[in-house]
Amino acid sequence: MRNGLFCELVCAGTNLQRFTCMFAVSHLSVAGCCAKSTIAPLDRVKILLQAHNHHYKHLGVFSTLLAVPKKEGYLGLYKGNGAMMIRIFPYGAIQFMAFDQYKKLVKQKLGISGHVHRLMAGSMAGITAVICTYPLDMVRARLAFQVKGEHKYRGIIHAFKTIYTMEGGFTGFYRGLMPAIVGMAPYAGLSFFTFGTLKNIGLTHAASLLGRPSLDNPDVLVLKTHVNLLCGGIAGAIAQTVSYPLDVTRRRMQLGTVLPDSEKCLTMVQTLKYIYQNHGIRRGLYRGLSLNYIRCIPSQAVAFTTYELMKQFLHLN
């Protein structure tokens, strides 16, 4: 999501501005590794709860956070984090290279320009990055779901080898790809739509209270920083709520043969039906959502606020 915001900045600026953004994004990957390591315990617990790991399925979010260190040690909270660290760098690089190519393709072949062609190019670049790095996300989920004493995989390389050998070659690495791609559209779309709507309402009806002159163009009003944070957080919360069942579906499909009921979760529709029929809405389709709020609302708030500040810094208003 944050890389998607910077994609638009890269496309809109001059060559120097593009270089500045690309330099910032390279550092963003390092910052992303630090951020992901910080919230890795929440990610591990979310995966355990989403797929109803039999050791923790009777527990809630905070009970599981306390139970994992007791059962597996504090390093147990970081299972699967190594695969996520490896994934961050190629994901960002692929997204930006693909964005530039898709931008040219959309403009030349479809004759579309402006915000629409940037949005289309950004969406296609995001999907390309997800497809290319999806095997690492799959391995991360498998490693994170393991519990001490029941290890099927000894590490990242062993997990790759085992999945490739036992689950049909390369296709085995792409279980759950469909809900991942389908979920990107409502998440990204609702995030931008909600933030843009809240921004317009605030500046239209309470400009003196919520707005201030832009740093690069005093004739243009922008939201104050704390209001930007609030609007970004609300946008993230709404987008997460709508798309979360697809995230649960993706995780259960990714875990595949690790789960006893894997034969009932072969397609996206089958998995959604199975989760709803067996676990309901709150303890099934939305299990672990509170963790996503804790993880994603602050990051979305910061992402949109940074995006607005960068537009001013690059004189794009």
Side-chain angles (χ1 to χ4, degrees):
M1 179 60 189
R2 282 173 294 190
N3 284 348
L5 292 170
F6 278 99
C7 275
E8 179 154 343
L9 290 172
V10 171
C11 180
T14 63
N15 287 334
L16 177 60
Q17 291 168 344
R18 291 176 189 176
F19 173 79
T20 303
C21 276
M22 291 298 290
F23 182 76
V25 171
S26 68
H27 285 70
L28 187 66
S29 295
V30 177
C33 287
C34 297
K36 284 292 184 181
S37 294
T38 302
I39 62 171
L42 300 180
D43 283 333
R44 168 102 203 278
V45 168
K46 188 182 78 163
I47 291 172
L48 292 170
L49 295 179
Q50 281 182 326
H52 293 82
N53 186 288
H54 67 93
H55 290 281
Y56 303 105
K57 65 181 181 181
H58 59 289
L59 301 175
V61 170
F62 294 106
S63 299
T64 306
L65 274 170
L66 296 174
V68 170
K70 290 180 181 178
K71 184 175 179 61
E72 306 178 59
Y74 283 99
L75 288 179
L77 292 169
Y78 290 88
K79 281 186 178 177
N81 192 50
M84 178 54 66
M85 296 299 96
I86 295 171
R87 181 176 181 253
I88 287 175
F89 288 95
Y91 186 96
I94 291 168
Q95 188 176 40
F96 274 92
M97 288 189 293
F99 177 76
D100 195 49
Q101 297 302 313
Y102 284 132
K103 178 187 67 178
K104 295 175 183 176
L105 182 67
V106 170
K107 190 171 184 179
Q108 292 172 0
K109 300 296 182 181
L110 302 180
I112 300 174
S113 60
H115 291 291
V116 175
H117 102 286
R118 286 200 292 273
L119 180 61
M120 290 177 66
S123 299
M124 291 188 289
I127 290 172
T128 301
V130 167
I131 292 172
C132 292
T133 61
Y134 194 78
L136 280 166
D137 191 42
M138 159 80 79
V139 168
R140 178 271 186 108
R142 296 287 181 96
L143 294 174
F145 193 70
Q146 294 186 131
V147 176
K148 185 177 181 180
E150 300 177 1
H151 284 191
K152 182 178 180 180
Y153 310 108
R154 295 192 298 271
I156 296 173
I157 295 175
H158 183 252
F160 267 107
K161 288 180 178 178
T162 305
I163 294 170
Y164 180 82
T165 304
M166 305 297 293
E167 299 184 37
F170 285 110
T171 56
F173 292 113
Y174 285 93
R175 287 177 60 100
L177 178 63
M178 184 57 68
I181 293 176
V182 172
M184 288 181 68
Y187 181 78
L190 277 171
S191 292
F192 281 104
F193 175 79
T194 304
F195 181 80
T197 301
L198 292 174
K199 178 181 176 181
N200 288 337
I201 291 173
L203 294 178
T204 300
H205 299 287
S208 59
L209 180 64
L210 304 179
R212 63 171 177 79
S214 173
L215 297 176
D216 63 320
N217 187 351
D219 295 329
V220 175
L221 281 180
V222 296
L223 293 175
K224 294 177 180 177
T225 302
H226 68 280
V227 182
N228 257 325
L229 287 167
L230 178 62
C231 291
I234 293 172
I238 292 174
Q240 283 288 337
T241 302
V242 172
S243 63
Y244 191 75
L246 289 169
D247 186 49
V248 175
T249 301
R250 170 175 64 96
R251 284 296 180 213
R252 289 193 72 95
M253 292 180 70
Q254 278 183 332
L255 292 169
T257 57
V258 176
L259 300 176
D261 50 10
S262 60
E263 73 283 352
K264 299 176 183 177
C265 300
L266 298 177
T267 68
M268 183 176 75
V269 175
Q270 276 183 342
T271 307
L272 280 168
K273 285 182 178 178
Y274 177 81
I275 296 171
Y276 175 72
Q277 290 170 356
N278 287 271
H279 303 289
I281 296 176
R282 188 175 68 86
R283 295 188 62 80
L285 295 175
Y286 282 95
R287 186 163 170 79
L289 177 61
S290 57
L291 280 172
N292 249 31
Y293 286 153
I294 296 170
R295 290 171 62 255
C296 296
I297 291 178
S299 67
Q300 285 291 84
V302 172
F304 275 109
T305 302
T306 304
Y307 172 67
E308 291 292 313
L309 290 173
M310 287 293 287
K311 282 173 64 179
Q312 296 173 57
F313 173 72
L314 296 173
H315 300 280
L316 299 179
N317 284 318

